[in-house]
Amino acid sequence: MVGFKATDVPPTATVKFQGAGTAACIADLITFPLDTAKVRLQIQGESQGLVRTAASAQYRGVLGTILTMVRTEGPRSLYNGLVAGLQRQMSFASVRIGLYDSVKQFYTKGSEHAGIGSRLLAGSTTGALAVAVAQPTDVVKVRFQAQARAGGGRRYQSTVEAYKTIAREEGIRGLWKGTSPNVARNAIVNCAELVTYDLIKDTLLKANLMTDDLPCHFTSAFGAGFCTTVIASPVDVVKTRYMNSALGQYHSAGHCALTMLRKEGPRAFYKGFMPSFLRLGSWNVVMFVTYEQLKRALMAAYQSREAPF
């Protein structure tokens, strides 16, 4: 048995909620440079308008993007928006991942045999609910990742200033900019990510190919990361472009998608695919492996605390 031993008592909703947020923050800390590289590649080629992004620099591939950023803006640029990113994960992942099993049980009325429909419905529900809670943190994170340090003229100097500036210049609605494409993206991501992980893990366990420990969690998470990237990349690119755009640059998320298609062609929707896969694949592996271990560790701690002397 690798890692913490599974407890006899299943993890509570509170344990899952806490574990999901913590595991997601750990995954973000490790994979954030890949996410920043993905954002820079996704906005490359976008009309600048009123927004000063780093798209004037020509990025080529994941490694090339990271090296260019380090050379022109310094290593810290890879972690632009980290504070907002961690704020996002603590609120966002706690809801979309931590509440997934509870919502799935609600849709199946407590049955242990959940069909694909119930899983998809649960994934869509928690994904949409998480966006409603955490959208402002996502907007600030994307804006920070998109802005360049080199040459001055930075858009925001701190996370708090970013929240205040967006609310002042664009109204409270500006903090929820891109909610529609983000709801669509996260419904898709949550379904692809959680449902795929759920199904792969169940299949491996039922076929007795693996036991419920680290290798099984690693394999399931890697497969979930690949499937999620393939399915969600187009929506993710539109979401990033729209949330990073200047006021009035796009009328809607649909207008943003049509503008991309007309000016840059269909391949624009898969810009940053490799960093997206590297990021989602590695993020899923770190997050799910950490999440599974945290659930067991927290339950073991609770049981030992409540056990009589």
Side-chain angles (χ1 to χ4, degrees):
M1 181 74 180
V2 184
F4 286 98
K5 183 180 179 180
T7 57
D8 296 329
V9 180
T12 63
T14 303
V15 164
K16 292 176 183 177
F17 191 85
Q18 293 173 340
T22 305
C25 284
I26 293 171
D28 245 30
L29 282 170
I30 294 172
T31 64
F32 205 80
L34 292 171
D35 191 43
T36 303
K38 176 203 74 172
V39 169
R40 292 292 180 91
L41 284 166
Q42 286 177 337
I43 64 173
Q44 186 166 251
E46 181 180 25
S47 300
Q48 297 305 297
L50 300 175
V51 183
R52 187 192 187 285
T53 68
S56 55
Q58 291 301 307
Y59 301 120
R60 294 183 181 277
V62 185
L63 183 60
T65 301
I66 291 174
L67 291 176
T68 299
M69 289 180 64
V70 171
R71 186 178 67 252
T72 59
E73 305 170 50
R76 291 180 63 186
S77 64
L78 297 173
Y79 283 89
N80 274 352
L82 178 63
V83 174
L86 295 179
Q87 291 172 349
R88 173 181 180 266
Q89 291 300 351
M90 279 308 297
S91 53
F92 184 73
S94 297
V95 173
R96 79 176 185 91
I97 298 170
L99 297 183
Y100 170 74
D101 285 332
S102 298
V103 174
K104 182 175 68 175
Q105 289 175 359
F106 171 78
Y107 284 129
T108 58
K109 303 188 187 309
S111 172
E112 294 183 1
H113 304 288
I116 185 69
S118 300
R119 297 176 201 245
L120 290 172
L121 197 55
S124 300
T125 302
T126 58
L129 184 60
V131 172
V133 172
Q135 181 67 8
T137 62
D138 205 10
V139 171
V140 172
K141 178 183 81 78
V142 168
R143 299 268 182 106
F144 261 100
Q145 288 177 312
Q147 71 179 2
R149 287 179 182 270
R154 292 184 65 199
R155 203 172 179 187
Y156 310 111
Q157 300 300 321
S158 70
T159 305
V160 174
E161 183 202 346
Y163 286 117
K164 290 180 178 178
T165 302
I166 293 170
R168 184 176 64 251
E169 295 181 354
E170 304 175 40
I172 296 298
R173 290 180 62 183
L175 291 169
W176 269 268
K177 187 173 187 178
T179 298
S180 295
N182 215 12
V183 166
R185 174 193 179 270
N186 282 291
I188 293 169
V189 165
N190 229 32
C191 287
E193 197 172 78
L194 295 177
V195 175
T196 304
Y197 178 82
D198 220 4
L199 290 172
I200 293 174
K201 181 181 172 184
D202 281 356
T203 301
L204 291 173
L205 295 177
K206 287 177 181 177
N208 293 319
L209 296 173
M210 289 183 175
T211 55
D212 191 6
D213 55 14
L214 282 174
C216 176
H217 304 157
F218 180 94
T219 303
S220 303
F222 186 83
F226 179 77
C227 292
T228 304
T229 310
V230 172
I231 294 170
S233 274
V235 183
D236 191 35
V237 175
V238 173
K239 180 213 78 167
T240 299
R241 291 280 186 97
Y242 187 60
M243 287 200 305
N244 185 56
S245 64
L247 188 63
Q249 184 176 356
Y250 301 118
H251 304 310
S252 65
H255 178 234
C256 177
L258 289 173
T259 301
M260 285 175 57
L261 183 62
R262 186 175 66 252
K263 292 185 175 180
E264 302 172 58
R267 292 180 63 182
F269 291 97
Y270 279 92
K271 275 190 172 181
F273 178 84
M274 189 51 66
S276 288
F277 171 60
L278 290 175
R279 198 260 175 175
L280 268 177
S282 57
W283 191 92
N284 270 270
V285 168
V286 175
M287 196 285 298
F288 276 115
V289 168
T290 306
Y291 179 46
E292 296 279 8
Q293 294 303 304
L294 276 175
K295 285 191 295 183
R296 295 178 179 187
L298 288 170
M299 283 305 297
Y302 288 153
Q303 286 181 318
S304 64
R305 189 174 62 186
E306 294 173 0
F309 291 101

